[in-house]
Amino acid sequence: MPKVSFQELLDAGAHFGHLKRKWNPNMEPYIFMEKNGIHIIDLQKTIVKIDEAAAAMKQIAKSGRKVLFVATKKQAKELVAEQVKSVGMPYVTERWPGGMLTNFPTIRKAVKKMMSIDKLAKDPSWDNLSKREKLQIGRQRAKLEKILGSIADLTRLPAALFIVDVMKEKIAVREAHRLGIPVFAIVDTNSNPEGIDFVIPANDDASQSIKLIVGAMVESVREGLNERKAEKKDDEEAPRKKSRRKVRKDKAPEPKPVEDEKVEDDEDVVDDEDSGDEEE
């Protein structure tokens, strides 16, 4: 399980909250103190919450389900896309398409449309289209790719959402609540942690803070996927080992009875005596 140290969080600036006047009173349990009018987040609690979230994330990945990462704010989008891509999980880093979860069949239709354009581009009939038509289709494809590119492989609703900044992604949070999908989130002092299943109290504006926490989640997903692969491999090898043992058992020669061995010894003795008589 990936571990994030107190010093790493401190160096990343994860402890800096918002101005006191902007705080959400529900975040009080996670606030350590106030300094120069700014709330300081209790990083000991952050570490505990990261560990809890990472353990749950690992189990989801191990079960073969998907976690959808959502981060459309400027300082988070590239960091999240880069890290999440490495474990093959879906992510949304552009505008959240309204109804993406609650109206999932429509989103799937848009994905199919994008795939049909790709199929058309490889077809010989593509060369018969005019330059203008190709340009229009290309623009349509680019627009769909921007919004749906990373979720093209998402054939069913995700098992969970990981969100950077619950205030900015409030529509995504609302849709997840409506469908009973658990939400993991980095929650700053100006946000409401109520309704978030796995709250990670931390600075959701600093790029280093986001990178560190998302990195820990991605590593836990990777661990879960690796364990799933190992278990599948063991399951596949188990019947083979069983069949090998059976073959060996069938081929093994049957042990001779003890009585037969005694008889053979007696015969040898008799043969020696007979041979002696012949010599005389």
Side-chain angles (χ1 to χ4, degrees):
M1 188 74 69
K3 290 284 179 184
V4 177
S5 69
F6 184 91
Q7 192 59 48
E8 283 177 319
L9 287 167
L10 200 64
D11 293 342
H15 58 296
F16 291 118
H18 283 264
L19 291 168
K20 187 185 174 183
R21 59 187 172 84
K22 289 185 176 181
W23 83 310
N24 188 306
N26 291 325
M27 281 297 289
E28 190 176 1
Y30 307 108
I31 293 171
F32 179 65
M33 62 180 285
E34 179 205 331
K35 190 176 181 181
N36 301 328
I38 295 170
H39 276 131
I40 304 298
I41 295 164
D42 188 343
L43 292 182
Q44 295 291 357
K45 289 183 179 177
T46 303
I47 290 169
V48 171
K49 292 294 182 181
I50 287 174
D51 289 346
E52 285 177 7
M57 196 80 79
K58 181 181 172 181
Q59 289 306 312
I60 291 170
K62 193 176 175 180
S63 68
R65 293 173 294 166
K66 298 280 186 181
V67 178
L68 177 62
F69 287 75
V70 185
T72 61
K73 65 197 303 179
K74 192 179 177 181
Q75 60 269 50
K77 54 169 71 178
E78 284 182 20
L79 294 171
V80 171
E82 189 182 330
Q83 293 190 77
V84 176
K85 209 180 283 181
S86 67
V87 289
M89 287 291 164
Y91 58 89
V92 174
T93 53
E94 296 301 326
R95 184 181 64 84
W96 174 266
M100 181 174 162
L101 300 177
T102 52
N103 197 12
F104 192 67
T106 305
I107 296 296
R108 284 302 304 160
K109 280 179 187 175
V111 171
K112 283 176 183 175
K113 190 176 184 181
M114 186 173 74
M115 290 166 81
S116 68
I117 292 171
D118 291 340
K119 198 175 179 181
L120 176 65
K122 292 174 185 175
D123 197 88
S125 60
W126 174 258
D127 297 326
N128 299 329
L129 297 173
S130 67
K131 192 177 178 181
R132 188 181 175 184
E133 284 174 323
K134 286 179 181 177
L135 195 65
Q136 284 176 338
I137 293 169
R139 281 176 186 164
Q140 190 180 23
R141 171 69 176 77
K143 191 179 178 182
L144 288 167
E145 171 68 35
K146 193 176 181 181
I147 300 169
L148 307 167
S150 65
I151 57 167
D153 298 328
L154 195 65
T155 53
R156 59 177 181 173
L157 286 169
L161 258 63
F162 182 90
I163 288 172
V164 177
D165 194 341
V166 292
M167 283 186 74
K168 185 169 179 61
E169 315 300 347
K170 59 187 176 185
I171 298 170
V173 174
R174 203 180 301 138
E175 288 189 31
H177 283 168
R178 197 176 295 175
L179 296 171
I181 296 170
V183 177
F184 296 72
I186 300 175
V187 186
D188 213 329
T189 57
N190 66 333
S191 305
N192 187 1
E194 287 187 352
I196 306 300
D197 301 271
F198 293 89
V199 175
I200 301 173
N203 185 343
D204 64 7
D205 293 314
S207 58
Q208 289 305 308
S209 173
I210 296 165
K211 186 179 180 180
L212 185 64
I213 294 166
V214 171
M217 297 301 112
V218 167
E219 279 307 309
S220 64
V221 167
R222 187 175 278 111
E223 281 186 17
L225 292 172
N226 289 339
E227 284 186 17
R228 180 175 170 80
K229 279 181 188 173
E231 283 182 3
K232 270 189 174 180
K233 197 176 179 182
D234 290 343
D235 291 343
E236 285 170 6
E237 286 179 357
R240 290 179 197 166
K241 286 177 182 175
K242 236 179 187 179
S243 60
R244 280 177 197 160
R245 285 195 205 108
K246 200 174 180 182
V247 168
R248 283 173 191 162
K249 200 174 179 182
D250 293 342
K251 285 184 179 178
E254 291 183 10
K256 292 181 180 180
V258 179
E259 291 176 8
D260 291 349
E261 287 174 9
K262 284 182 180 178
V263 170
E264 284 174 11
D265 290 345
D266 293 340
E267 285 173 358
D268 290 342
V269 172
V270 170
D271 290 341
D272 290 340
E273 288 173 2
D274 291 344
S275 59
D277 292 339
E278 284 172 8
E279 284 175 10
E280 285 175 5

